[in-house]
Amino acid sequence: MKKLGVLILTLLLVASAFVSGCVSDEEGGAEEDSEEAPAVTELNFGYQPSTHQVAYMTAMEKGWWEEDLAPFGVEKINEYEFPTGAPEMQAMLAGDLDVAYVGAAPVITALSQGLDAKIIAAVQIQGSDLVLRPEFEYETPQDLEGLSIATFPPGTIQDTLLRNWLQENGLDPDTDVDIKAMGPGEAISAISAGSVDAVFLPHPAPAIIESEGNGRSVVASGEMQADHACCVLVASGELIRGQPELVEQIVATHIKATEYNKNNVDEAAQIFADKTGWEVEKVEKSLADWDGAWIADPELIANSTVQYTQVQYELGYIQKPLTKEEIFDTSFYEAASQEE
């Protein structure tokens, strides 16, 4: 009987410990749920070597990225340069980028492929030119029939705009012209060598081609679609959900760099030239000639960006058009701009 009592007592103690353990686990789970997201000590930024995205370069050159983001625990900024937006968005899809300066059109393609991210600010509008070899006459889009045109890969701003503009002017982009997908360096070399007849590229490439006597700008992208969205600032969904205050500061720094460039164009040209190795005189000519503008307010490009989704759907690039809510999170710009 005594042994039975000991056994019962032992079983009661085990049960008590088990129940206690369950309660502790539940409490621990509740504590875990209430914990903040892990601190972010490094950020991976993607960008392209275009004057469209000089805000990123200015913020880096001035040390603003590290200085402004340090209070949020960021100790290091890693930057990755891409020739066009297509591979940049593939890197973001793979989880290799936290923040990206990139064209709005590649973002749409990536979102349709499952990218967890949102556009959090505008970067720039317009700013690309169709450049034709000197030996070709140009009066109307029909003069392009039978010619080869180098531009960025399918799904990019330049590819989307060019194909839509050709269709609007009665030309089939698949049969009436020969569109060749190239990065900026390859396209500049191709038109210089005469292996393509024209290029449609973002600045400063058009100004560089013209300055070397290998072509002339015949159509600016703003003539194809007025005030069209071009480059944007994108943040990963993980960063948006886990570090909203950090994301707001990223937008605030972007706004600061954008306004600085607008007020100091010559310095912006020098920063770009130092970053890319282009002659500063050619960069200055580009910024004098282009029809682009540096901006930050995402509302200014929202309608244009949503329109791109319809164009990409009609081109067969995406399964269905996207809504503004699926593409943008404007709350960070709204908060950051109020603090300016």
Side-chain angles (χ1 to χ4, degrees):
M1 192 73 177
K2 184 176 181 181
K3 289 181 181 180
L4 180 59
V6 172
L7 178 59
I8 292 172
L9 179 60
T10 301
L11 291 173
L12 287 173
L13 288 172
V14 169
S16 175
F18 178 76
V19 171
S20 176
C22 288
V23 171
S24 297
D25 285 346
E26 288 173 2
E27 289 174 351
E31 288 176 5
E32 187 176 329
D33 290 342
S34 66
E35 285 180 4
E36 295 182 0
V40 175
T41 58
E42 292 188 23
L43 283 176
N44 294 337
F45 275 72
Y47 77 101
Q48 297 162 49
S50 162
T51 49
H52 293 193
Q53 300 178 13
V54 73
Y56 166 76
M57 302 176 197
T58 296
M60 180 62 83
E61 172 65 23
K62 296 288 187 182
W64 292 339
W65 289 126
E66 290 188 355
E67 178 184 330
D68 293 353
L69 304 184
F72 300 89
V74 177
E75 300 170 359
K76 186 179 180 182
I77 302 294
N78 303 310
E79 65 172 39
Y80 299 89
E81 182 180 296
F82 296 85
T84 69
E88 186 173 0
M89 287 297 90
Q90 288 303 310
M92 200 164 200
L93 273 163
D96 296 332
L97 297 178
D98 303 301
V99 184
Y101 279 77
V102 64
V107 178
I108 292 166
T109 306
L111 288 172
S112 72
Q113 296 170 350
L115 176 66
D116 177 19
K118 290 287 174 65
I119 295 174
I120 55 174
V123 172
Q124 161 271 343
I125 56 172
Q126 305 187 154
S128 297
D129 285 4
L130 178 65
V131 183
L132 195 62
R133 286 278 308 170
E135 60 266 29
F136 294 102
E137 297 295 327
Y138 181 86
E139 292 184 2
T140 70
Q142 282 65 40
D143 294 324
L144 301 172
E145 188 169 357
L147 301 187
S148 57
I149 306 173
T151 194
F152 284 2
T156 58
I157 286 287
Q158 287 70 30
D159 172 81
T160 301
L161 275 175
L162 178 62
R163 289 176 181 273
N164 188 57
W165 176 73
L166 289 170
Q167 288 180 333
E168 288 179 341
N169 285 279
L171 293 171
D172 188 325
D174 293 319
T175 59
D176 291 334
V177 296
D178 181 14
I179 297 178
K180 298 181 180 294
M182 296 185 187
E186 185 183 5
I188 292 172
S189 298
I191 194 170
S192 300
S195 56
V196 296
D197 305 315
V199 298
F200 182 51
L201 297 173
H203 274 267
I208 290 166
I209 294 166
E210 284 190 322
S211 68
E212 295 174 349
N214 295 315
R216 70 192 189 284
S217 293
V218 294
V219 183
S221 63
E223 297 175 71
M224 296 179 176
Q225 183 180 324
D227 299 324
H228 69 81
C230 198
C231 290
V232 296
L233 182 59
V234 181
S236 72
E238 182 178 355
L239 199 64
I240 287 171
R241 293 185 296 273
Q243 305 290 338
E245 292 181 354
L246 173 59
V247 174
E248 182 182 329
Q249 182 57 58
I250 289 170
V251 174
T253 301
H254 167 65
I255 294 172
K256 177 168 64 174
T258 299
E259 292 304 311
Y260 187 88
N261 288 337
K262 288 162 67 174
N263 294 323
N264 301 274
V265 177
D266 288 345
E267 186 178 351
Q270 187 65 61
I271 288 171
F272 180 84
D274 292 342
K275 182 76 170 176
T276 62
W278 290 113
E279 296 174 25
V280 69
E281 293 79 13
K282 293 179 179 178
V283 180
E284 289 172 343
K285 182 180 186 305
S286 168
L287 294 175
D289 293 349
W290 78 332
D291 70 344
W294 297 315
I295 63 171
D297 185 351
E299 290 293 348
L300 298 177
I301 61 164
N303 290 340
S304 174
T305 303
V306 172
Q307 287 173 11
Y308 285 155
T309 75
Q310 182 64 37
V311 174
Q312 289 201 0
Y313 170 69
E314 292 172 0
L315 289 170
Y317 291 171
I318 62 176
Q319 300 269 326
K320 65 179 181 66
L322 304 179
T323 65
K324 177 184 174 183
E325 290 70 27
E326 291 173 310
I327 304 168
F328 289 88
D329 186 336
T330 62
S331 64
F332 299 104
Y333 174 83
E334 291 161 6
S337 59
Q338 288 173 2
E339 296 176 7
E340 288 294 307

